[in-house]
Amino acid sequence: MGRLDSKVALITGAARGQGRSHAIRLAEEGASIVAIDICAPIESMNYALATPEDLAQTAKEVEALGRPILARKADVRDRDQLKAVVAEAVAEFGRLDVVVANAGICPAKDITLCSSFVDVVDVDLFGVQNTVAAALPHLQGGASIVVTGSTAGMIPGLTDNIAPGASGGPGYAYAKQAVARYVEVLALQLAPHMVRLNAIHPTNCDTPLLHNEDVYRAFRPDLEHPTREDAMPALPAMQAMPIPFIDPVDISHLVVYLASDESRYMTGMNLRVDAGAMLKTSFGVHA
Ligand SMILES: NC(=O)c1ccc[n+]([C@@H]2O[C@H](COP(=O)([O-])OP(=O)(O)OC[C@H]3O[C@@H](n4cnc5c(N)ncnc54)[C@H](O)[C@@H]3O)[C@@H](O)[C@H]2O)c1
């Protein structure tokens, strides 16, 4: 018996990183999977986004667990694309129970005036809202929505320092803070329908979003082109626990819990998996 037997779970940003990990953990617990990813570049990004091969790899790993998966290329900025995948999923699996709006970017290259701010808000805030909007007409009592925020986005001055002079870092913080408020406001409206909505705010997580030069520079502002080796000794300063980052599966375990009926009376929560990072800020001891 899995904890998610007979449930159908949709995950955005599922081609790699946390999204792939969520797809695998949810499948391990018996869910059928709908995996969405853009699998294409966004101009203001300084690091590459996922590829069609990455999404195919997620599908392969879910299928190896004996669970069905519908994997589709779609851009969370385009609500019509999301609606089309949701309709296909409901036609194929007959229902939709779990939505994990995880897709996100942290861009740092302004092509035109504040274009990285526009891109990050489009993906990390409107992309979340589009995903939820596409799913809502198909959700019934017992359904659970989980959206991804960020602990770093909550800490003043932190992501703002990613590539100073570009607007993507401050845009990231704005988008993630708005996601936190969105969860509280909408969860109250969904509660009478027994549909739940919660956010998870990870700290540094071992994915390509963390491992790129712009984020490294936020931790090593003294270097023009910091490498992973340069950043590693500085990364633990973020957390209260002496670790550089968490693993994607550390988030996936909470996703499974929030997706399952075990958390049936939890809603409107902004939950951190942050190894004490926010506590350091609250107590004013951030490096
Ligand atoms: N890695 C970290 O340190 C960290 C920390 C806090 C929060 N987060 C958040 O976690 C979430 C997952 O990121 P990750 O760490 O797995 O990084 P990642 O870059 O490995 O994964 C993000 C995925 O989202 C996809 N994506 C990007 N734009 C998209 C779009 N418009 N439509 C559909 N898919 C799109 C990418 O192709 C990629 O597969 C993001 O919301 C991110 O902001 C990450």
Side-chain angles (χ1 to χ4, degrees):
M1 281 285 286
R3 292 155 75 193
L4 299 170
D5 281 347
S6 83
K7 290 194 190 287
V8 178
L10 179 147
I11 304 140
T12 65
R16 72 178 191 199
Q18 294 176 54
R20 178 188 285 167
S21 174
H22 300 342
I24 291 166
R25 275 296 296 125
L26 293 165
E28 282 173 348
E29 295 295 346
S32 302
I33 303 297
V34 184
I36 289 174
D37 205 288
I38 188 172
C39 298
I42 292 179
E43 219 185 357
S44 59
M45 305 296 299
N46 274 347
Y47 62 94
L49 294 181
T51 62
E53 292 72 30
D54 291 326
L55 187 57
Q57 180 62 28
T58 297
K60 205 170 139 190
E61 294 190 34
V62 167
E63 281 161 358
L65 295 166
R67 297 307 308 156
I69 178 166
L70 180 75
R72 289 288 178 267
K73 181 170 152 32
D75 187 338
V76 297
R77 295 174 296 180
D78 185 331
R79 193 179 293 182
D80 288 338
Q81 287 185 19
L82 292 171
K83 280 183 178 173
V85 179
V86 168
E88 192 184 351
V90 171
E92 178 147 342
F93 296 125
R95 54 190 295 135
L96 182 60
D97 306 280
V98 176
V99 178
V100 186
N102 157 83
I105 59 173
C106 190
K109 199 164 58 177
D110 281 339
I111 309 292
T112 55
L113 183 63
C114 290
S115 63
S116 60
F117 188 101
V118 171
D119 285 343
V120 70
V121 173
D122 280 353
V123 176
D124 293 24
L125 176 58
F126 300 149
V128 166
Q129 296 181 351
N130 284 336
T131 305
V132 174
L136 279 178
H138 302 276
L139 299 183
Q140 294 177 356
S144 174
I145 305 167
V146 181
V147 305
T148 306
S150 163
T151 296
M154 305 292 167
I155 297 175
L158 207 64
T159 65
D160 301 7
N161 278 335
I162 291 174
S167 59
Y172 185 83
Y174 165 72
K176 297 301 189 179
Q177 288 166 24
V179 160
R181 181 71 181 137
Y182 166 79
V183 161
E184 292 175 348
V185 174
L186 184 56
L188 187 59
Q189 300 307 311
L190 295 173
H193 306 278
M194 298 300 280
V195 172
R196 300 182 295 114
L197 170 61
N198 293 286
I200 302 177
H201 299 277
T203 189
N204 296 342
C205 186
D206 191 8
T207 72
L209 186 145
L210 176 73
H211 291 295
N212 66 82
E213 190 180 280
D214 291 315
V215 175
Y216 291 159
R217 199 179 305 104
F219 287 89
R220 289 299 306 270
D222 53 315
L223 299 177
E224 199 179 339
H225 297 294
T227 62
R228 182 183 174 116
E229 288 63 40
D230 295 326
M232 281 302 281
L235 286 168
M238 168 101 178
Q239 289 75 225
M241 292 174 171
I243 56 162
F245 39 69
I246 59 172
D247 294 327
V249 76
D250 295 312
I251 306 299
S252 304
H253 293 318
L254 181 55
V255 170
V256 166
Y257 173 65
L258 290 174
S260 78
D261 299 337
E262 295 161 11
S263 59
R264 63 185 173 161
Y265 298 130
M266 288 185 66
T267 197
M269 303 290 289
N270 282 289
L271 296 164
R272 301 188 307 269
V273 180
D274 73 349
M278 185 59 86
L279 285 178
K280 284 187 81 171
T281 301
S282 307
F283 284 87
V285 292
H286 237 294

